[in-house]
PDB file of all heavy atoms in Angstrom:
ATOM      1  N   ALA F 331     -11.484  17.800  -2.747  1.00 86.00           N
ATOM      2  CA  ALA F 331     -11.360  16.525  -3.483  1.00 86.00           C
ATOM      3  C   ALA F 331     -12.650  15.753  -3.195  1.00 86.00           C
ATOM      4  O   ALA F 331     -13.252  15.017  -4.047  1.00 86.00           O
ATOM      5  CB  ALA F 331     -10.198  15.747  -2.809  1.00 86.00           C
ATOM      6  N   ALA F 332     -13.255  15.882  -1.944  1.00 85.00           N
ATOM      7  CA  ALA F 332     -14.532  15.190  -1.713  1.00 85.00           C
ATOM      8  C   ALA F 332     -15.567  15.823  -2.595  1.00 85.00           C
ATOM      9  O   ALA F 332     -16.458  15.064  -3.100  1.00 85.00           O
ATOM     10  CB  ALA F 332     -14.907  15.441  -0.190  1.00 85.00           C
ATOM     11  N   THR F 333     -15.516  17.129  -2.811  1.00 85.00           N
ATOM     12  CA  THR F 333     -16.501  17.763  -3.649  1.00 85.00           C
ATOM     13  C   THR F 333     -16.423  17.228  -5.136  1.00 85.00           C
ATOM     14  O   THR F 333     -17.387  16.958  -5.757  1.00 85.00           O
ATOM     15  CB  THR F 333     -16.311  19.306  -3.659  1.00 85.00           C
ATOM     16  OG1 THR F 333     -16.531  19.769  -2.386  1.00 85.00           O
ATOM     17  CG2 THR F 333     -17.267  19.963  -4.682  1.00 85.00           C
ATOM     18  N   GLY F 334     -15.167  17.099  -5.641  1.00 82.00           N
ATOM     19  CA  GLY F 334     -14.923  16.664  -6.961  1.00 82.00           C
ATOM     20  C   GLY F 334     -15.410  15.278  -7.216  1.00 82.00           C
ATOM     21  O   GLY F 334     -15.756  14.869  -8.353  1.00 82.00           O
ATOM     22  N   SER F 335     -15.350  14.434  -6.177  1.00 83.00           N
ATOM     23  CA  SER F 335     -15.734  13.105  -6.290  1.00 83.00           C
ATOM     24  C   SER F 335     -17.225  12.883  -6.381  1.00 83.00           C
ATOM     25  O   SER F 335     -17.692  11.798  -6.870  1.00 83.00           O
ATOM     26  CB  SER F 335     -15.251  12.270  -5.012  1.00 83.00           C
ATOM     27  OG  SER F 335     -15.943  12.621  -3.922  1.00 83.00           O
ATOM     28  N   VAL F 336     -18.008  13.821  -5.998  1.00 82.00           N
ATOM     29  CA  VAL F 336     -19.531  13.556  -6.064  1.00 82.00           C
ATOM     30  C   VAL F 336     -20.195  14.208  -7.252  1.00 82.00           C
ATOM     31  O   VAL F 336     -21.355  14.168  -7.344  1.00 82.00           O
ATOM     32  CB  VAL F 336     -20.165  14.147  -4.696  1.00 82.00           C
ATOM     33  CG1 VAL F 336     -19.531  13.471  -3.480  1.00 82.00           C
ATOM     34  CG2 VAL F 336     -19.968  15.684  -4.630  1.00 82.00           C
ATOM     35  N   VAL F 337     -19.375  14.964  -8.039  1.00 79.00           N
ATOM     36  CA  VAL F 337     -20.028  15.633  -9.264  1.00 79.00           C
ATOM     37  C   VAL F 337     -19.243  15.090 -10.504  1.00 79.00           C
ATOM     38  O   VAL F 337     -18.211  14.500 -10.447  1.00 79.00           O
ATOM     39  CB  VAL F 337     -19.961  17.226  -9.121  1.00 79.00           C
ATOM     40  CG1 VAL F 337     -20.805  17.533  -8.046  1.00 79.00           C
ATOM     41  CG2 VAL F 337     -18.571  17.561  -8.941  1.00 79.00           C
ATOM     42  N   ASP F 338     -19.892  15.425 -11.628  1.00 74.00           N
ATOM     43  CA  ASP F 338     -19.229  14.888 -12.869  1.00 74.00           C
ATOM     44  C   ASP F 338     -18.650  16.038 -13.710  1.00 74.00           C
ATOM     45  O   ASP F 338     -17.855  15.780 -14.702  1.00 74.00           O
ATOM     46  CB  ASP F 338     -20.351  14.301 -13.802  1.00 74.00           C
ATOM     47  CG  ASP F 338     -20.993  13.142 -13.100  1.00 74.00           C
ATOM     48  OD1 ASP F 338     -20.239  12.432 -12.324  1.00 74.00           O
ATOM     49  OD2 ASP F 338     -22.175  12.842 -13.408  1.00 74.00           O
ATOM     50  N   ASN F 339     -18.766  17.287 -13.305  1.00 73.00           N
ATOM     51  CA  ASN F 339     -18.219  18.432 -14.115  1.00 73.00           C
ATOM     52  C   ASN F 339     -17.941  19.600 -13.135  1.00 73.00           C
ATOM     53  O   ASN F 339     -18.556  19.650 -12.000  1.00 73.00           O
ATOM     54  CB  ASN F 339     -19.013  18.878 -15.273  1.00 73.00           C
ATOM     55  CG  ASN F 339     -20.389  19.176 -14.880  1.00 73.00           C
ATOM     56  OD1 ASN F 339     -20.648  20.242 -14.315  1.00 73.00           O
ATOM     57  ND2 ASN F 339     -21.343  18.301 -15.316  1.00 73.00           N
ATOM     58  N   GLU F 340     -17.150  20.553 -13.576  1.00 72.00           N
ATOM     59  CA  GLU F 340     -16.722  21.692 -12.660  1.00 72.00           C
ATOM     60  C   GLU F 340     -17.884  22.586 -12.336  1.00 72.00           C
ATOM     61  O   GLU F 340     -17.927  23.202 -11.229  1.00 72.00           O
ATOM     62  CB  GLU F 340     -15.574  22.367 -13.253  1.00 72.00           C
ATOM     63  CG  GLU F 340     -14.842  23.380 -12.337  1.00 72.00           C
ATOM     64  CD  GLU F 340     -13.540  23.865 -12.889  1.00 72.00           C
ATOM     65  OE1 GLU F 340     -13.055  23.324 -13.910  1.00 72.00           O
ATOM     66  OE2 GLU F 340     -12.905  24.682 -12.234  1.00 72.00           O
ATOM     67  N   SER F 341     -18.782  22.802 -13.290  1.00 73.00           N
ATOM     68  CA  SER F 341     -19.932  23.729 -13.086  1.00 73.00           C
ATOM     69  C   SER F 341     -20.786  23.206 -11.884  1.00 73.00           C
ATOM     70  O   SER F 341     -21.329  23.999 -11.147  1.00 73.00           O
ATOM     71  CB  SER F 341     -20.726  23.936 -14.326  1.00 73.00           C
ATOM     72  OG  SER F 341     -21.245  22.757 -14.833  1.00 73.00           O
ATOM     73  N   ASP F 342     -21.030  21.896 -11.840  1.00 72.00           N
ATOM     74  CA  ASP F 342     -21.822  21.362 -10.807  1.00 72.00           C
ATOM     75  C   ASP F 342     -21.135  21.437  -9.411  1.00 72.00           C
ATOM     76  O   ASP F 342     -21.813  21.393  -8.376  1.00 72.00           O
ATOM     77  CB  ASP F 342     -22.157  19.879 -11.065  1.00 72.00           C
ATOM     78  CG  ASP F 342     -23.012  19.739 -12.302  1.00 72.00           C
ATOM     79  OD1 ASP F 342     -23.787  20.669 -12.643  1.00 72.00           O
ATOM     80  OD2 ASP F 342     -23.122  18.593 -12.947  1.00 72.00           O
ATOM     81  N   SER F 343     -19.807  21.522  -9.385  1.00 77.00           N
ATOM     82  CA  SER F 343     -19.109  21.490  -8.196  1.00 77.00           C
ATOM     83  C   SER F 343     -19.289  22.813  -7.366  1.00 77.00           C
ATOM     84  O   SER F 343     -19.043  22.812  -6.144  1.00 77.00           O
ATOM     85  CB  SER F 343     -17.598  21.340  -8.373  1.00 77.00           C
ATOM     86  OG  SER F 343     -17.073  22.426  -9.093  1.00 77.00           O
ATOM     87  N   GLN F 344     -19.741  23.880  -8.014  1.00 77.00           N
ATOM     88  CA  GLN F 344     -19.875  25.110  -7.372  1.00 77.00           C
ATOM     89  C   GLN F 344     -20.943  25.052  -6.263  1.00 77.00           C
ATOM     90  O   GLN F 344     -20.860  25.775  -5.207  1.00 77.00           O
ATOM     91  CB  GLN F 344     -20.288  26.244  -8.282  1.00 77.00           C
ATOM     92  CG  GLN F 344     -19.155  26.579  -9.298  1.00 77.00           C
ATOM     93  CD  GLN F 344     -19.573  27.687 -10.370  1.00 77.00           C
ATOM     94  OE1 GLN F 344     -20.622  28.092 -10.312  1.00 77.00           O
ATOM     95  NE2 GLN F 344     -18.694  27.899 -11.343  1.00 77.00           N
ATOM     96  N   GLN F 345     -21.969  24.203  -6.473  1.00 77.00           N
ATOM     97  CA  GLN F 345     -22.936  24.050  -5.427  1.00 77.00           C
ATOM     98  C   GLN F 345     -22.449  23.522  -4.028  1.00 77.00           C
ATOM     99  O   GLN F 345     -22.878  23.997  -3.062  1.00 77.00           O
ATOM    100  CB  GLN F 345     -23.974  23.054  -5.877  1.00 77.00           C
ATOM    101  CG  GLN F 345     -25.072  22.648  -4.825  1.00 77.00           C
ATOM    102  CD  GLN F 345     -26.012  21.513  -5.286  1.00 77.00           C
ATOM    103  OE1 GLN F 345     -26.038  21.278  -6.498  1.00 77.00           O
ATOM    104  NE2 GLN F 345     -26.639  20.832  -4.434  1.00 77.00           N
ATOM    105  N   TYR F 346     -21.382  22.749  -4.183  1.00 79.00           N
ATOM    106  CA  TYR F 346     -20.727  22.199  -3.001  1.00 79.00           C
ATOM    107  C   TYR F 346     -19.495  23.021  -2.490  1.00 79.00           C
ATOM    108  O   TYR F 346     -19.291  23.092  -1.282  1.00 79.00           O
ATOM    109  CB  TYR F 346     -20.273  20.785  -3.250  1.00 79.00           C
ATOM    110  CG  TYR F 346     -21.417  19.866  -3.630  1.00 79.00           C
ATOM    111  CD1 TYR F 346     -21.671  19.531  -4.939  1.00 79.00           C
ATOM    112  CD2 TYR F 346     -22.285  19.227  -2.694  1.00 79.00           C
ATOM    113  CE1 TYR F 346     -22.701  18.718  -5.368  1.00 79.00           C
ATOM    114  CE2 TYR F 346     -23.380  18.516  -3.088  1.00 79.00           C
ATOM    115  CZ  TYR F 346     -23.535  18.193  -4.394  1.00 79.00           C
ATOM    116  OH  TYR F 346     -24.576  17.387  -4.759  1.00 79.00           O
ATOM    117  N   THR F 347     -18.834  23.632  -3.431  1.00 82.00           N
ATOM    118  CA  THR F 347     -17.549  24.369  -2.979  1.00 82.00           C
ATOM    119  C   THR F 347     -17.900  25.753  -2.378  1.00 82.00           C
ATOM    120  O   THR F 347     -17.149  26.345  -1.587  1.00 82.00           O
ATOM    121  CB  THR F 347     -16.631  24.579  -4.155  1.00 82.00           C
ATOM    122  OG1 THR F 347     -17.373  25.287  -5.222  1.00 82.00           O
ATOM    123  CG2 THR F 347     -16.101  23.284  -4.715  1.00 82.00           C
ATOM    124  N   MET F 348     -19.051  26.340  -2.756  1.00 85.00           N
ATOM    125  CA  MET F 348     -19.455  27.633  -2.275  1.00 85.00           C
ATOM    126  C   MET F 348     -19.544  27.710  -0.797  1.00 85.00           C
ATOM    127  O   MET F 348     -18.854  28.588  -0.135  1.00 85.00           O
ATOM    128  CB  MET F 348     -20.790  28.181  -2.868  1.00 85.00           C
ATOM    129  CG  MET F 348     -21.124  29.546  -2.511  1.00 85.00           C
ATOM    130  SD  MET F 348     -19.758  30.754  -2.934  1.00 85.00           S
ATOM    131  CE  MET F 348     -19.793  30.691  -4.709  1.00 85.00           C
TER     132      MET F 348
END
Side-chain angles (χ1 to χ4, degrees):
T333 299
S335 68
V336 301
V337 296
D338 297 331
N339 53 72
E340 193 166 353
S341 60
D342 293 337
S343 67
Q344 296 179 1
Q345 172 186 345
Y346 301 99
T347 57
M348 185 56 67

